[in-house]
mmCIF file of all heavy atoms in Angstrom:
data_model
loop_
_atom_site.group_PDB
_atom_site.id
_atom_site.type_symbol
_atom_site.label_atom_id
_atom_site.label_comp_id
_atom_site.label_asym_id
_atom_site.label_seq_id
_atom_site.Cartn_x
_atom_site.Cartn_y
_atom_site.Cartn_z
ATOM 1 N N MET A 1 2.764 28.331 13.230
ATOM 2 C CA MET A 1 1.774 29.198 12.591
ATOM 3 C C MET A 1 1.638 30.488 13.385
ATOM 4 O O MET A 1 0.536 30.948 13.612
ATOM 5 C CB MET A 1 0.440 28.482 12.484
ATOM 6 C CG MET A 1 0.389 27.282 11.554
ATOM 7 S SD MET A 1 0.404 27.650 9.818
ATOM 8 C CE MET A 1 -1.058 28.614 9.640
ATOM 9 N N THR A 2 2.685 31.061 13.806
ATOM 10 C CA THR A 2 2.825 32.337 14.522
ATOM 11 C C THR A 2 1.512 32.989 14.959
ATOM 12 O O THR A 2 1.048 33.969 14.386
ATOM 13 C CB THR A 2 3.618 33.340 13.679
ATOM 14 O OG1 THR A 2 2.909 33.611 12.481
ATOM 15 C CG2 THR A 2 5.002 32.811 13.373
ATOM 16 N N GLY A 3 0.906 32.445 15.983
ATOM 17 C CA GLY A 3 -0.254 33.069 16.607
ATOM 18 C C GLY A 3 -1.591 32.685 16.012
ATOM 19 O O GLY A 3 -2.631 33.066 16.542
ATOM 20 N N ILE A 4 -1.647 31.999 14.908
ATOM 21 C CA ILE A 4 -2.929 31.635 14.307
ATOM 22 C C ILE A 4 -3.551 30.462 15.064
ATOM 23 O O ILE A 4 -4.745 30.446 15.316
ATOM 24 C CB ILE A 4 -2.752 31.296 12.814
ATOM 25 C CG1 ILE A 4 -2.278 32.538 12.061
ATOM 26 C CG2 ILE A 4 -4.051 30.772 12.209
ATOM 27 C CD1 ILE A 4 -1.936 32.301 10.612
ATOM 28 N N LEU A 5 -2.739 29.475 15.430
ATOM 29 C CA LEU A 5 -3.229 28.320 16.171
ATOM 30 C C LEU A 5 -2.741 28.395 17.615
ATOM 31 O O LEU A 5 -1.595 28.727 17.864
ATOM 32 C CB LEU A 5 -2.701 27.014 15.565
ATOM 33 C CG LEU A 5 -3.093 26.694 14.133
ATOM 34 C CD1 LEU A 5 -2.407 25.429 13.677
ATOM 35 C CD2 LEU A 5 -4.586 26.556 14.001
ATOM 36 N N ASN A 6 -3.639 28.042 18.540
ATOM 37 C CA ASN A 6 -3.161 27.945 19.917
ATOM 38 C C ASN A 6 -2.488 26.586 20.094
ATOM 39 O O ASN A 6 -2.616 25.706 19.245
ATOM 40 C CB ASN A 6 -4.299 28.194 20.921
ATOM 41 C CG ASN A 6 -5.384 27.150 20.875
ATOM 42 O OD1 ASN A 6 -5.153 26.029 20.430
ATOM 43 N ND2 ASN A 6 -6.569 27.518 21.337
ATOM 44 N N PRO A 7 -1.752 26.394 21.185
ATOM 45 C CA PRO A 7 -0.988 25.145 21.351
ATOM 46 C C PRO A 7 -1.849 23.877 21.330
ATOM 47 O O PRO A 7 -1.412 22.843 20.823
ATOM 48 C CB PRO A 7 -0.318 25.313 22.706
ATOM 49 C CG PRO A 7 -0.204 26.789 22.893
ATOM 50 C CD PRO A 7 -1.422 27.361 22.239
ATOM 51 N N VAL A 8 -3.050 23.934 21.849
ATOM 52 C CA VAL A 8 -3.909 22.741 21.868
ATOM 53 C C VAL A 8 -4.309 22.359 20.447
ATOM 54 O O VAL A 8 -4.227 21.182 20.055
ATOM 55 C CB VAL A 8 -5.157 22.985 22.751
ATOM 56 C CG1 VAL A 8 -6.121 21.814 22.650
ATOM 57 C CG2 VAL A 8 -4.746 23.231 24.185
ATOM 58 N N VAL A 9 -4.712 23.313 19.656
ATOM 59 C CA VAL A 9 -5.095 23.042 18.273
ATOM 60 C C VAL A 9 -3.875 22.567 17.484
ATOM 61 O O VAL A 9 -3.966 21.645 16.667
ATOM 62 C CB VAL A 9 -5.739 24.284 17.618
ATOM 63 C CG1 VAL A 9 -6.017 24.046 16.145
ATOM 64 C CG2 VAL A 9 -7.016 24.668 18.348
ATOM 65 N N GLY A 10 -2.725 23.155 17.746
ATOM 66 C CA GLY A 10 -1.496 22.736 17.078
ATOM 67 C C GLY A 10 -1.164 21.279 17.380
ATOM 68 O O GLY A 10 -0.760 20.523 16.494
ATOM 69 N N ALA A 11 -1.348 20.878 18.647
ATOM 70 C CA ALA A 11 -1.082 19.492 19.029
ATOM 71 C C ALA A 11 -2.064 18.541 18.341
ATOM 72 O O ALA A 11 -1.675 17.463 17.882
ATOM 73 C CB ALA A 11 -1.163 19.344 20.545
ATOM 74 N N LEU A 12 -3.317 18.935 18.258
ATOM 75 C CA LEU A 12 -4.314 18.099 17.588
ATOM 76 C C LEU A 12 -4.020 17.958 16.095
ATOM 77 O O LEU A 12 -4.113 16.861 15.537
ATOM 78 C CB LEU A 12 -5.717 18.670 17.797
ATOM 79 C CG LEU A 12 -6.268 18.588 19.222
ATOM 80 C CD1 LEU A 12 -7.603 19.327 19.315
ATOM 81 C CD2 LEU A 12 -6.420 17.140 19.643
ATOM 82 N N VAL A 13 -3.637 19.046 15.464
ATOM 83 C CA VAL A 13 -3.309 19.003 14.037
ATOM 84 C C VAL A 13 -2.083 18.115 13.807
ATOM 85 O O VAL A 13 -2.040 17.322 12.865
ATOM 86 C CB VAL A 13 -3.080 20.428 13.489
ATOM 87 C CG1 VAL A 13 -2.472 20.396 12.090
ATOM 88 C CG2 VAL A 13 -4.384 21.204 13.485
ATOM 89 N N HIS A 14 -1.112 18.227 14.694
ATOM 90 C CA HIS A 14 0.087 17.394 14.580
ATOM 91 C C HIS A 14 -0.274 15.911 14.705
ATOM 92 O O HIS A 14 0.206 15.084 13.927
ATOM 93 C CB HIS A 14 1.101 17.781 15.654
ATOM 94 C CG HIS A 14 2.308 16.908 15.671
ATOM 95 N ND1 HIS A 14 3.306 17.018 14.737
ATOM 96 C CD2 HIS A 14 2.668 15.901 16.501
ATOM 97 C CE1 HIS A 14 4.238 16.105 14.993
ATOM 98 N NE2 HIS A 14 3.871 15.419 16.064
ATOM 99 N N ASN A 15 -1.115 15.575 15.660
ATOM 100 C CA ASN A 15 -1.523 14.180 15.849
ATOM 101 C C ASN A 15 -2.348 13.667 14.669
ATOM 102 O O ASN A 15 -2.202 12.514 14.263
ATOM 103 C CB ASN A 15 -2.292 14.008 17.156
ATOM 104 C CG ASN A 15 -1.379 14.139 18.359
ATOM 105 O OD1 ASN A 15 -0.186 13.884 18.272
ATOM 106 N ND2 ASN A 15 -1.937 14.550 19.479
ATOM 107 N N LEU A 16 -3.203 14.500 14.127
ATOM 108 C CA LEU A 16 -3.975 14.093 12.949
ATOM 109 C C LEU A 16 -3.060 13.830 11.754
ATOM 110 O O LEU A 16 -3.296 12.902 10.979
ATOM 111 C CB LEU A 16 -5.022 15.157 12.602
ATOM 112 C CG LEU A 16 -6.220 15.243 13.545
ATOM 113 C CD1 LEU A 16 -7.118 16.414 13.150
ATOM 114 C CD2 LEU A 16 -7.002 13.950 13.528
ATOM 115 N N GLY A 17 -2.009 14.626 11.630
ATOM 116 C CA GLY A 17 -1.036 14.400 10.564
ATOM 117 C C GLY A 17 -0.340 13.065 10.740
ATOM 118 O O GLY A 17 -0.108 12.344 9.768
ATOM 119 N N SER A 18 -0.009 12.732 11.970
ATOM 120 C CA SER A 18 0.634 11.443 12.243
ATOM 121 C C SER A 18 -0.301 10.279 11.912
ATOM 122 O O SER A 18 0.124 9.268 11.332
ATOM 123 C CB SER A 18 1.053 11.357 13.708
ATOM 124 O OG SER A 18 2.007 12.364 13.996
ATOM 125 N N VAL A 19 -1.562 10.410 12.257
ATOM 126 C CA VAL A 19 -2.548 9.367 11.941
ATOM 127 C C VAL A 19 -2.677 9.217 10.429
ATOM 128 O O VAL A 19 -2.756 8.104 9.909
ATOM 129 C CB VAL A 19 -3.913 9.679 12.596
ATOM 130 C CG1 VAL A 19 -5.000 8.768 12.065
ATOM 131 C CG2 VAL A 19 -3.801 9.578 14.107
ATOM 132 N N PHE A 20 -2.671 10.327 9.719
ATOM 133 C CA PHE A 20 -2.762 10.284 8.256
ATOM 134 C C PHE A 20 -1.583 9.522 7.662
ATOM 135 O O PHE A 20 -1.748 8.699 6.755
ATOM 136 C CB PHE A 20 -2.816 11.709 7.687
ATOM 137 C CG PHE A 20 -2.785 11.746 6.187
ATOM 138 C CD1 PHE A 20 -3.906 11.407 5.450
ATOM 139 C CD2 PHE A 20 -1.634 12.108 5.516
ATOM 140 C CE1 PHE A 20 -3.877 11.432 4.065
ATOM 141 C CE2 PHE A 20 -1.591 12.130 4.134
ATOM 142 C CZ PHE A 20 -2.715 11.793 3.408
ATOM 143 N N VAL A 21 -0.377 9.762 8.169
ATOM 144 C CA VAL A 21 0.812 9.070 7.670
ATOM 145 C C VAL A 21 0.699 7.569 7.917
ATOM 146 O O VAL A 21 1.007 6.757 7.044
ATOM 147 C CB VAL A 21 2.083 9.651 8.331
ATOM 148 C CG1 VAL A 21 3.299 8.775 8.053
ATOM 149 C CG2 VAL A 21 2.334 11.062 7.834
ATOM 150 N N ILE A 22 0.240 7.178 9.102
ATOM 151 C CA ILE A 22 0.104 5.754 9.429
ATOM 152 C C ILE A 22 -0.938 5.090 8.542
ATOM 153 O O ILE A 22 -0.720 3.990 8.015
ATOM 154 C CB ILE A 22 -0.246 5.588 10.919
ATOM 155 C CG1 ILE A 22 0.944 6.004 11.768
ATOM 156 C CG2 ILE A 22 -0.659 4.159 11.231
ATOM 157 C CD1 ILE A 22 0.638 6.150 13.241
ATOM 158 N N LEU A 23 -2.082 5.743 8.339
ATOM 159 C CA LEU A 23 -3.125 5.173 7.486
ATOM 160 C C LEU A 23 -2.665 5.055 6.033
ATOM 161 O O LEU A 23 -2.949 4.069 5.357
ATOM 162 C CB LEU A 23 -4.401 6.014 7.574
ATOM 163 C CG LEU A 23 -5.126 5.981 8.914
ATOM 164 C CD1 LEU A 23 -6.317 6.935 8.899
ATOM 165 C CD2 LEU A 23 -5.577 4.567 9.248
ATOM 166 N N ASN A 24 -1.927 6.048 5.558
ATOM 167 C CA ASN A 24 -1.412 5.996 4.193
ATOM 168 C C ASN A 24 -0.401 4.855 4.039
ATOM 169 O O ASN A 24 -0.398 4.152 3.029
ATOM 170 C CB ASN A 24 -0.773 7.336 3.821
ATOM 171 C CG ASN A 24 -0.516 7.456 2.346
ATOM 172 O OD1 ASN A 24 -1.305 6.979 1.537
ATOM 173 N ND2 ASN A 24 0.589 8.087 1.997
ATOM 174 N N SER A 25 0.439 4.648 5.053
ATOM 175 C CA SER A 25 1.398 3.544 5.013
ATOM 176 C C SER A 25 0.677 2.202 4.969
ATOM 177 O O SER A 25 1.071 1.298 4.233
ATOM 178 C CB SER A 25 2.318 3.586 6.229
ATOM 179 O OG SER A 25 3.074 4.769 6.232
ATOM 180 N N ALA A 26 -0.389 2.070 5.754
ATOM 181 C CA ALA A 26 -1.150 0.820 5.758
ATOM 182 C C ALA A 26 -1.785 0.579 4.394
ATOM 183 O O ALA A 26 -1.815 -0.549 3.897
ATOM 184 C CB ALA A 26 -2.221 0.862 6.849
ATOM 185 N N LYS A 27 -2.274 1.640 3.775
ATOM 186 C CA LYS A 27 -2.872 1.514 2.446
ATOM 187 C C LYS A 27 -1.832 1.073 1.419
ATOM 188 O O LYS A 27 -2.095 0.217 0.572
ATOM 189 C CB LYS A 27 -3.493 2.847 2.028
ATOM 190 C CG LYS A 27 -4.235 2.805 0.707
ATOM 191 C CD LYS A 27 -4.895 4.118 0.400
ATOM 192 C CE LYS A 27 -3.934 4.955 -0.405
ATOM 193 N NZ LYS A 27 -4.519 6.176 -0.938
ATOM 194 N N LEU A 28 -0.626 1.638 1.505
ATOM 195 C CA LEU A 28 0.434 1.257 0.580
ATOM 196 C C LEU A 28 0.860 -0.190 0.784
ATOM 197 O O LEU A 28 1.137 -0.903 -0.178
ATOM 198 C CB LEU A 28 1.631 2.193 0.741
ATOM 199 C CG LEU A 28 1.420 3.616 0.243
ATOM 200 C CD1 LEU A 28 2.599 4.485 0.623
ATOM 201 C CD2 LEU A 28 1.200 3.641 -1.251
ATOM 202 N N LEU A 29 0.925 -0.648 2.025
ATOM 203 C CA LEU A 29 1.279 -2.043 2.292
ATOM 204 C C LEU A 29 0.229 -2.991 1.720
ATOM 205 O O LEU A 29 0.558 -4.024 1.148
ATOM 206 C CB LEU A 29 1.426 -2.278 3.799
ATOM 207 C CG LEU A 29 2.710 -1.746 4.429
ATOM 208 C CD1 LEU A 29 2.646 -1.895 5.940
ATOM 209 C CD2 LEU A 29 3.920 -2.449 3.868
ATOM 210 N N LYS A 30 -1.044 -2.623 1.870
ATOM 211 C CA LYS A 30 -2.115 -3.452 1.327
ATOM 212 C C LYS A 30 -2.020 -3.504 -0.198
ATOM 213 O O LYS A 30 -2.157 -4.570 -0.797
ATOM 214 C CB LYS A 30 -3.468 -2.891 1.752
ATOM 215 C CG LYS A 30 -4.639 -3.695 1.260
ATOM 216 C CD LYS A 30 -5.949 -3.108 1.721
ATOM 217 C CE LYS A 30 -7.115 -3.891 1.154
ATOM 218 N NZ LYS A 30 -8.388 -3.294 1.499
ATOM 219 N N THR A 31 -1.745 -2.374 -0.822
ATOM 220 C CA THR A 31 -1.603 -2.317 -2.274
ATOM 221 C C THR A 31 -0.429 -3.171 -2.724
ATOM 222 O O THR A 31 -0.526 -3.908 -3.703
ATOM 223 C CB THR A 31 -1.404 -0.863 -2.748
ATOM 224 O OG1 THR A 31 -2.517 -0.087 -2.307
ATOM 225 C CG2 THR A 31 -1.292 -0.776 -4.250
ATOM 226 N N ARG A 32 0.696 -3.102 -1.997
ATOM 227 C CA ARG A 32 1.870 -3.893 -2.366
ATOM 228 C C ARG A 32 1.580 -5.385 -2.244
ATOM 229 O O ARG A 32 1.963 -6.171 -3.107
ATOM 230 C CB ARG A 32 3.059 -3.523 -1.489
ATOM 231 C CG ARG A 32 4.340 -4.220 -1.940
ATOM 232 C CD ARG A 32 5.477 -3.919 -1.047
ATOM 233 N NE ARG A 32 5.299 -4.703 0.170
ATOM 234 C CZ ARG A 32 6.144 -4.678 1.185
ATOM 235 N NH1 ARG A 32 7.194 -3.909 1.153
ATOM 236 N NH2 ARG A 32 5.927 -5.416 2.249
ATOM 237 N N ASN A 33 0.878 -5.779 -1.177
ATOM 238 C CA ASN A 33 0.538 -7.189 -1.001
ATOM 239 C C ASN A 33 -0.374 -7.677 -2.116
ATOM 240 O O ASN A 33 -0.208 -8.779 -2.619
ATOM 241 C CB ASN A 33 -0.102 -7.426 0.363
ATOM 242 C CG ASN A 33 0.898 -7.295 1.490
ATOM 243 O OD1 ASN A 33 2.097 -7.411 1.277
ATOM 244 N ND2 ASN A 33 0.402 -7.050 2.680
ATOM 245 N N ASN A 34 -1.341 -6.867 -2.512
ATOM 246 C CA ASN A 34 -2.234 -7.241 -3.609
ATOM 247 C C ASN A 34 -1.463 -7.339 -4.923
ATOM 248 O O ASN A 34 -1.695 -8.227 -5.726
ATOM 249 C CB ASN A 34 -3.377 -6.241 -3.749
ATOM 250 C CG ASN A 34 -4.386 -6.367 -2.637
ATOM 251 O OD1 ASN A 34 -4.450 -7.394 -1.966
ATOM 252 N ND2 ASN A 34 -5.170 -5.331 -2.436
ATOM 253 N N LEU A 35 -0.513 -6.426 -5.135
ATOM 254 C CA LEU A 35 0.290 -6.447 -6.354
ATOM 255 C C LEU A 35 1.180 -7.674 -6.379
ATOM 256 O O LEU A 35 1.308 -8.338 -7.406
ATOM 257 C CB LEU A 35 1.132 -5.175 -6.462
ATOM 258 C CG LEU A 35 1.998 -5.035 -7.705
ATOM 259 C CD1 LEU A 35 1.120 -5.034 -8.955
ATOM 260 C CD2 LEU A 35 2.819 -3.775 -7.630
ATOM 261 N N ASP A 36 1.805 -8.018 -5.234
ATOM 262 C CA ASP A 36 2.638 -9.218 -5.161
ATOM 263 C C ASP A 36 1.820 -10.465 -5.481
ATOM 264 O O ASP A 36 2.274 -11.351 -6.195
ATOM 265 C CB ASP A 36 3.273 -9.356 -3.770
ATOM 266 C CG ASP A 36 4.368 -8.332 -3.524
ATOM 267 O OD1 ASP A 36 4.837 -7.721 -4.507
ATOM 268 O OD2 ASP A 36 4.743 -8.144 -2.358
ATOM 269 N N LEU A 37 0.612 -10.537 -4.951
ATOM 270 C CA LEU A 37 -0.258 -11.682 -5.207
ATOM 271 C C LEU A 37 -0.617 -11.756 -6.686
ATOM 272 O O LEU A 37 -0.585 -12.815 -7.297
ATOM 273 C CB LEU A 37 -1.524 -11.598 -4.349
ATOM 274 C CG LEU A 37 -2.538 -12.724 -4.530
ATOM 275 C CD1 LEU A 37 -1.911 -14.058 -4.124
ATOM 276 C CD2 LEU A 37 -3.770 -12.455 -3.702
ATOM 277 N N HIS A 38 -0.935 -10.607 -7.289
ATOM 278 C CA HIS A 38 -1.290 -10.563 -8.705
ATOM 279 C C HIS A 38 -0.115 -11.024 -9.566
ATOM 280 O O HIS A 38 -0.289 -11.803 -10.504
ATOM 281 C CB HIS A 38 -1.723 -9.158 -9.098
ATOM 282 C CG HIS A 38 -2.039 -9.003 -10.545
ATOM 283 N ND1 HIS A 38 -3.147 -9.553 -11.121
ATOM 284 C CD2 HIS A 38 -1.370 -8.381 -11.550
ATOM 285 C CE1 HIS A 38 -3.163 -9.272 -12.418
ATOM 286 N NE2 HIS A 38 -2.086 -8.568 -12.699
ATOM 287 N N ILE A 39 1.088 -10.563 -9.238
ATOM 288 C CA ILE A 39 2.274 -10.944 -10.009
ATOM 289 C C ILE A 39 2.522 -12.443 -9.861
ATOM 290 O O ILE A 39 2.846 -13.121 -10.828
ATOM 291 C CB ILE A 39 3.496 -10.124 -9.559
ATOM 292 C CG1 ILE A 39 3.336 -8.673 -10.014
ATOM 293 C CG2 ILE A 39 4.784 -10.709 -10.112
ATOM 294 C CD1 ILE A 39 4.370 -7.731 -9.463
ATOM 295 N N LYS A 40 2.356 -12.983 -8.640
ATOM 296 C CA LYS A 40 2.575 -14.405 -8.410
ATOM 297 C C LYS A 40 1.581 -15.240 -9.224
ATOM 298 O O LYS A 40 1.950 -16.212 -9.872
ATOM 299 C CB LYS A 40 2.427 -14.719 -6.927
ATOM 300 C CG LYS A 40 2.653 -16.163 -6.583
ATOM 301 C CD LYS A 40 2.491 -16.409 -5.102
ATOM 302 C CE LYS A 40 2.648 -17.886 -4.798
ATOM 303 N NZ LYS A 40 2.376 -18.180 -3.395
ATOM 304 N N ILE A 41 0.315 -14.853 -9.212
ATOM 305 C CA ILE A 41 -0.707 -15.593 -9.965
ATOM 306 C C ILE A 41 -0.414 -15.508 -11.462
ATOM 307 O O ILE A 41 -0.482 -16.502 -12.176
ATOM 308 C CB ILE A 41 -2.115 -15.056 -9.643
ATOM 309 C CG1 ILE A 41 -2.488 -15.415 -8.202
ATOM 310 C CG2 ILE A 41 -3.141 -15.588 -10.618
ATOM 311 C CD1 ILE A 41 -3.747 -14.755 -7.715
ATOM 312 N N GLU A 42 -0.047 -14.334 -11.947
ATOM 313 C CA GLU A 42 0.244 -14.161 -13.363
ATOM 314 C C GLU A 42 1.454 -15.011 -13.756
ATOM 315 O O GLU A 42 1.474 -15.639 -14.816
ATOM 316 C CB GLU A 42 0.523 -12.688 -13.661
ATOM 317 C CG GLU A 42 0.732 -12.387 -15.125
ATOM 318 C CD GLU A 42 0.881 -10.901 -15.380
ATOM 319 O OE1 GLU A 42 0.132 -10.126 -14.782
ATOM 320 O OE2 GLU A 42 1.764 -10.544 -16.172
ATOM 321 N N TYR A 43 2.464 -15.073 -12.908
ATOM 322 C CA TYR A 43 3.654 -15.883 -13.182
ATOM 323 C C TYR A 43 3.298 -17.365 -13.262
ATOM 324 O O TYR A 43 3.743 -18.063 -14.167
ATOM 325 C CB TYR A 43 4.704 -15.643 -12.091
ATOM 326 C CG TYR A 43 5.938 -16.489 -12.231
ATOM 327 C CD1 TYR A 43 6.898 -16.173 -13.184
ATOM 328 C CD2 TYR A 43 6.141 -17.601 -11.423
ATOM 329 C CE1 TYR A 43 8.044 -16.951 -13.333
ATOM 330 C CE2 TYR A 43 7.278 -18.381 -11.556
ATOM 331 C CZ TYR A 43 8.226 -18.050 -12.509
ATOM 332 O OH TYR A 43 9.344 -18.811 -12.645
ATOM 333 N N GLU A 44 2.473 -17.816 -12.328
ATOM 334 C CA GLU A 44 2.076 -19.228 -12.329
ATOM 335 C C GLU A 44 1.248 -19.565 -13.567
ATOM 336 O O GLU A 44 1.438 -20.602 -14.180
ATOM 337 C CB GLU A 44 1.309 -19.556 -11.052
ATOM 338 C CG GLU A 44 2.185 -19.558 -9.812
ATOM 339 C CD GLU A 44 1.405 -19.736 -8.527
ATOM 340 O OE1 GLU A 44 0.155 -19.783 -8.590
ATOM 341 O OE2 GLU A 44 2.036 -19.808 -7.472
ATOM 342 N N VAL A 45 0.338 -18.696 -13.940
ATOM 343 C CA VAL A 45 -0.488 -18.938 -15.129
ATOM 344 C C VAL A 45 0.383 -18.946 -16.375
ATOM 345 O O VAL A 45 0.228 -19.796 -17.250
ATOM 346 C CB VAL A 45 -1.602 -17.862 -15.232
ATOM 347 C CG1 VAL A 45 -2.274 -17.904 -16.590
ATOM 348 C CG2 VAL A 45 -2.610 -18.045 -14.118
ATOM 349 N N THR A 46 1.346 -18.037 -16.454
ATOM 350 C CA THR A 46 2.240 -17.988 -17.610
ATOM 351 C C THR A 46 3.065 -19.259 -17.703
ATOM 352 O O THR A 46 3.218 -19.833 -18.779
ATOM 353 C CB THR A 46 3.181 -16.767 -17.516
ATOM 354 O OG1 THR A 46 2.381 -15.592 -17.416
ATOM 355 C CG2 THR A 46 4.061 -16.660 -18.740
ATOM 356 N N ASN A 47 3.584 -19.725 -16.581
ATOM 357 C CA ASN A 47 4.375 -20.958 -16.591
ATOM 358 C C ASN A 47 3.537 -22.158 -16.955
ATOM 359 O O ASN A 47 3.996 -23.062 -17.649
ATOM 360 C CB ASN A 47 5.074 -21.157 -15.250
ATOM 361 C CG ASN A 47 6.278 -20.259 -15.097
ATOM 362 O OD1 ASN A 47 6.783 -19.728 -16.064
ATOM 363 N ND2 ASN A 47 6.718 -20.075 -13.872
ATOM 364 N N GLU A 48 2.296 -22.209 -16.481
ATOM 365 C CA GLU A 48 1.421 -23.315 -16.830
ATOM 366 C C GLU A 48 1.122 -23.325 -18.318
ATOM 367 O O GLU A 48 1.099 -24.360 -18.960
ATOM 368 C CB GLU A 48 0.124 -23.245 -16.027
ATOM 369 C CG GLU A 48 0.290 -23.600 -14.564
ATOM 370 C CD GLU A 48 -0.992 -23.402 -13.782
ATOM 371 O OE1 GLU A 48 -2.043 -23.114 -14.402
ATOM 372 O OE2 GLU A 48 -0.943 -23.534 -12.553
ATOM 373 N N SER A 49 0.896 -22.145 -18.882
ATOM 374 C CA SER A 49 0.583 -22.094 -20.311
ATOM 375 C C SER A 49 1.800 -22.463 -21.142
ATOM 376 O O SER A 49 1.668 -23.087 -22.193
ATOM 377 C CB SER A 49 0.077 -20.707 -20.693
ATOM 378 O OG SER A 49 1.081 -19.731 -20.504
ATOM 379 N N LYS A 50 3.012 -22.096 -20.701
ATOM 380 C CA LYS A 50 4.215 -22.504 -21.427
ATOM 381 C C LYS A 50 4.361 -24.017 -21.390
ATOM 382 O O LYS A 50 4.735 -24.641 -22.360
ATOM 383 C CB LYS A 50 5.447 -21.834 -20.832
ATOM 384 C CG LYS A 50 5.579 -20.394 -21.179
ATOM 385 C CD LYS A 50 6.841 -19.800 -20.575
ATOM 386 C CE LYS A 50 6.950 -18.331 -20.881
ATOM 387 N NZ LYS A 50 8.132 -17.731 -20.253
ATOM 388 N N GLY A 51 4.066 -24.611 -20.221
ATOM 389 C CA GLY A 51 4.143 -26.063 -20.107
ATOM 390 C C GLY A 51 3.134 -26.735 -21.022
ATOM 391 O O GLY A 51 3.423 -27.762 -21.641
ATOM 392 N N ALA A 52 1.970 -26.145 -21.172
ATOM 393 C CA ALA A 52 0.944 -26.740 -22.030
ATOM 394 C C ALA A 52 1.364 -26.650 -23.493
ATOM 395 O O ALA A 52 1.090 -27.539 -24.281
ATOM 396 C CB ALA A 52 -0.380 -26.016 -21.816
ATOM 397 N N LEU A 53 2.072 -25.581 -23.864
ATOM 398 C CA LEU A 53 2.518 -25.449 -25.251
ATOM 399 C C LEU A 53 3.595 -26.464 -25.579
ATOM 400 O O LEU A 53 3.662 -26.949 -26.707
ATOM 401 C CB LEU A 53 3.037 -24.028 -25.493
ATOM 402 C CG LEU A 53 1.985 -22.927 -25.486
ATOM 403 C CD1 LEU A 53 2.646 -21.559 -25.613
ATOM 404 C CD2 LEU A 53 0.993 -23.141 -26.612
ATOM 405 N N ILE A 54 4.435 -26.791 -24.624
ATOM 406 C CA ILE A 54 5.510 -27.748 -24.859
ATOM 407 C C ILE A 54 4.945 -29.147 -25.042
ATOM 408 O O ILE A 54 5.403 -29.910 -25.883
ATOM 409 C CB ILE A 54 6.537 -27.709 -23.682
ATOM 410 C CG1 ILE A 54 7.252 -26.368 -23.682
ATOM 411 C CG2 ILE A 54 7.539 -28.843 -23.797
ATOM 412 C CD1 ILE A 54 8.106 -26.141 -22.476
ATOM 413 N N VAL A 55 3.900 -29.471 -24.283
ATOM 414 C CA VAL A 55 3.306 -30.811 -24.366
ATOM 415 C C VAL A 55 2.581 -30.891 -25.666
ATOM 416 O O VAL A 55 2.740 -31.518 -26.579
ATOM 417 C CB VAL A 55 2.300 -31.029 -23.206
ATOM 418 C CG1 VAL A 55 1.569 -32.336 -23.393
ATOM 419 C CG2 VAL A 55 3.021 -30.973 -21.900
#
């Protein structure tokens, strides 16, 4: 940022950006785990209902 930020502020902004990336990754992992669980439950319920229709 050619003279707008001093080196200390630049380092802090860089570190905050890194923290943001890590927090966003954690949020995406949590979302993926919840989605996997939802798909697994939906699959089990669908299979159970198919079994009930056959009986």
Side-chain angles (χ1 to χ4, degrees):
M1 293 287 299
T2 62
I4 296 174
L5 298 176
N6 65 23
V8 174
V9 175
L12 291 174
V13 169
H14 176 76
N15 289 334
L16 287 175
S18 298
V19 169
F20 175 75
V21 168
I22 292 168
L23 292 176
N24 193 37
S25 298
K27 184 176 91 171
L28 290 172
L29 284 173
K30 181 179 177 184
T31 302
R32 186 183 76 180
N33 289 339
N34 287 341
L35 182 61
D36 288 344
L37 179 63
H38 177 71
I39 289 172
K40 181 180 177 185
I41 291 171
E42 184 175 318
Y43 177 76
E44 290 174 356
V45 168
T46 303
N47 284 343
E48 288 175 7
S49 64
K50 285 181 182 177
L53 290 175
I54 293 171
V55 173

